[in-house]
Every structure is written in structure tokens, then in C-alpha cells.
Amino acid sequence: MTYAPPIQPMYPGGNKEQTQSWEDLLSILNQQYRNEFPILVPCRPAYPGILDVAAVDSLTGTEPNYVVNRSGNTALSATALSINTLRAVPWRCTTGWRISKVSFNVTVGGAAGSVGKLALYGCRDDLNGDWKPWSLLWSGDAFTTTGTGLKTTNATLELEPGRVYWWAYWCGTAAPTVNTVPVASVDTYAASGGGTGTTMVTVASTYAATFPTVFPTTGVTATSVPPAILLTFTRPSTVTGTKATIGWTVPYDDAFALRRAWLTKAGILPKNQSNNPSVVVNAYMARGGKKNLIGSFDSRNGGLGAAVPRRISDSDDIALTLQRGDVLLVETSQIGWPPTDVGDATVQFDIGVL
């Protein structure tokens, strides 16, 4: 908005001090921006956490087997778990590694007709605190369990770190004795009404050819030994994980303008070769559900100095007038393995006040 003075200063003949005062006031009033402030948005790692080393075992002696929901190094026990019962063991995924094998181990074979298998269920709504086992995500092979040894299904599962899942064991006809996790070593995620640690959720269910597509809602918590479900992980070489972080929602129409976006990292990030792990950071303004790219950084095209801001927007002032409900957000994509560290990086949006 441009303002005109109430009088027209003139030289000569006018009061020079008054004329200078009007010109100074015009200079202030005609600034493009009254003020400017930053919005800082941290880059969110797509792969938080690592595997709990206390959960790693080796039943074959040739490869490590991750034991679901075990928090201590106590030796596994062995139990003949009853037939026709679905047992779901909770597990919070803490790694972006690919699960390439899923197994259970039979220590004493069951009687004639003994069978067993595994499956994976998601939660009903773990992001909002509802951790009940719910939708069937994956089911393993059915095995005859009259003989001993690992019963393994090959898999290509890439689960989302930070989410809670449920591994289910089901056996029928005759119960084999399988490895189980001692109660004292179980890493619990819930508690029963009496405050006793919950090891799993169980429900009576006659063994069938396929797992239920939705875990029965009649399941109850149990405090007994759960089945030891064994996972084998493979480092992914091409996997890409992406996480978004919301920075600011604009409160008023036509009161602010987005000027520029910067990326700053505390530590050095060298340029990555095209075949090495890398990171992409995208800064967006979202309006009406549509994301508009403001700026981008790709470590395959260049690096970052330690604590050296890098402008990622196309110009120093893109002058994008913001509307109420517009959202500023950052998406971080970590490509390859091991993931490139971005936990110390921040995107700064500079906002002008109109």
C-alpha cells in the first residue's frame, strides 16, 4: 500500500525541516514490509531409533534372530502353547531395516497333524493411543510342526519406525513346544487392570486356513509367556523414508508474505555420490490440501557447511502473500542405508508483515 502526504512539500519556500519530516514518514509508511520474523521447522528423521541389542539371539548359530518384545538377555524358555488360540505380541518398530524372514522355533514336535503359523497385525489407531490389534497386514506360511527346528517364512516387510504392531502365533490340532519369552524379559506396552504387566493379547479362535482379516475384538490381555517370534533384518539399499513436520498455520488473510527459506545444519553434510545414502529436504507452503514447493535441497547436488545457512528458495524475496489457513511444512527424505543424519538441521521461513 502506498501513502500520499497531506501536503506537497516544495523547495524552495517550504519549511525544510517539515519537508524532511514528511519524507522520512513516507519512507517508513511505504516500506514493503512493516516487520519480519522467522518460523523455524526442524527436519524430522524418517528412521528414528535402532534395534535393541538385548533382543538379538541366534538360534541357528549362523545369523542373528531378533526376538520380538524381549528386553533382557535371559535365555528363551520353551512352552507347549495351547491350540486354537490367537496370541498377539505387541512390538514397537524402531528401525527402517527390511524384515526378510519371520520365524518361530519348535523345540519338541507336536503329535500327528500339528500345525502352526505367524501373522502381523496393525493397531486400530496407535497414533491416538488405541493400540488394540486390528487389521491383518501380512500372514506367513503354514507349517507342519511335528518336527523340530525353525519354521521360517521369507518376507519383504518395511514397517514404519515409531509405530506399534502385533505379531500373532496360531497353532492347531496338536500343540508343539515352541520357544517363548520369559515373563521377566518381556518389554511390555500395557498393563492389566491389576497393574500386572501384559505380555500379549489372546483370544479363542479355531485354527483355520487363513488368519482373520480383523483381529477379534473379544481378545483379552494375558500375563503368561508369549511365543518367541524371530525376525531377520536386511539393510535396505534403495529404501526411501519421508517424514513431514508442520511449522506454522497462517492466522489471517493478506497480513503476511513469505519472503524466503533457509536450510541450516549444525554439523557438516558433504555432497553425496549418486549411489551413496543421501537426503532431500523440501520446504512447502500448503493451501487447500495442495503443496507448493518453496525450496529444495538435495545432498547429491551439493553439501552444507557446519552452521552455514543456505538459501533454498529461488530468490531472496519471493513475496508470496499468505492466506488464512496456509500451512508451512518441511518434508525430509532419507535415501539409502545407513540414513544420512538430519536431526540437527532446521528450515527457516522468513515472514514479512504487510
Side-chain angles (χ1 to χ4, degrees):
M1 180 183 296
T2 302
Y3 297 90
I7 62 173
Q8 179 63 45
M10 298 177 63
Y11 291 104
N15 184 304
K16 185 175 181 181
E17 291 182 357
Q18 183 184 46
T19 301
Q20 185 63 53
S21 296
W22 283 120
E23 289 179 347
D24 290 344
L25 178 61
L26 282 177
S27 176
I28 294 172
L29 293 176
N30 288 330
Q31 290 182 107
Q32 186 175 6
Y33 304 105
R34 304 286 173 263
N35 200 351
E36 185 173 301
F37 61 91
I39 297 293
L40 301 178
V41 186
C43 294
R44 184 181 176 193
Y47 298 117
I50 58 174
L51 291 175
D52 178 5
V53 295
V56 178
D57 210 323
S58 183
L59 300 186
T60 63
T62 58
E63 64 181 4
N65 303 110
Y66 179 92
V67 183
V68 169
N69 215 22
R70 185 174 78 161
S71 61
N73 287 317
T74 303
L76 296 177
S77 51
T79 309
L81 300 173
S82 59
I83 64 172
N84 299 328
T85 300
L86 273 172
R87 293 173 170 84
V89 180
W91 178 62
R92 184 172 64 89
C93 179
T94 59
T95 178
W97 287 22
R98 179 182 296 115
I99 299 171
S100 56
K101 296 178 183 179
V102 183
S103 312
F104 63 99
N105 189 54
V106 177
T107 60
V108 179
S114 177
V115 288
K117 55 187 175 182
L118 301 174
L120 177 66
Y121 285 86
C123 286
R124 185 172 184 172
D125 188 3
D126 60 313
L127 295 180
N128 289 300
D130 189 344
W131 289 353
K132 298 182 185 71
W134 199 249
S135 299
L136 179 66
L137 303 178
W138 173 90
S139 57
D141 298 332
F143 294 96
T144 298
T145 50
T146 53
T148 61
L150 279 176
K151 310 302 178 183
T152 300
T153 301
N154 292 327
T156 55
L157 292 169
E158 293 176 4
L159 304 180
E160 185 175 350
R163 303 295 295 272
V164 176
Y165 299 89
W166 295 81
W167 292 98
Y169 169 75
W170 205 13
C171 64
T173 307
T177 298
V178 297
N179 276 131
T180 50
V181 180
V183 172
S185 293
V186 173
D187 187 4
T188 59
Y189 290 100
S192 67
T196 305
T198 295
T199 59
M200 57 184 164
V201 170
T202 67
V203 62
S205 181
T206 302
Y207 186 90
T210 58
F211 278 89
T213 55
V214 175
F215 197 88
T217 57
T218 53
V220 295
T221 57
T223 58
S224 54
V225 292
I229 296 168
L230 313 170
L231 308 179
T232 301
F233 290 90
T234 302
R235 290 185 180 184
S237 58
T238 59
V239 67
T240 298
T242 301
K243 286 293 182 182
T245 305
I246 300 295
W248 186 52
T249 301
V250 179
Y252 308 110
D253 284 329
D254 303 320
F256 307 98
L258 178 57
R259 301 198 64 187
R260 66 189 74 85
W262 304 86
L263 174 63
T264 308
K265 192 174 183 298
I268 294 174
L269 176 61
K271 178 180 178 181
N272 301 117
Q273 300 298 320
S274 59
N275 60 338
N276 287 344
S278 57
V279 62
V280 175
V281 177
N282 289 324
Y284 292 101
M285 184 280 290
R287 176 177 294 169
K290 181 181 178 181
K291 294 186 297 186
N292 301 282
L293 185 65
I294 301 301
S296 183
F297 168 81
D298 189 331
S299 65
R300 291 168 294 190
N301 298 328
L304 292 172
V308 178
R310 175 169 177 159
R311 195 188 76 207
I312 58 175
S313 53
D314 289 338
S315 67
D316 193 56
D317 189 2
I318 59 179
L320 175 61
T321 301
L322 299 173
Q323 304 298 314
R324 180 180 181 182
D326 288 350
V327 175
L328 302 181
L329 62 95
V330 171
E331 281 188 356
T332 306
S333 297
Q334 290 168 290
I335 304 165
W337 198 267
T340 303
D341 178 29
V342 292
D344 60 344
T346 300
V347 172
Q348 175 178 313
F349 294 94
D350 288 337
I351 307 299
V353 180
L354 298 176

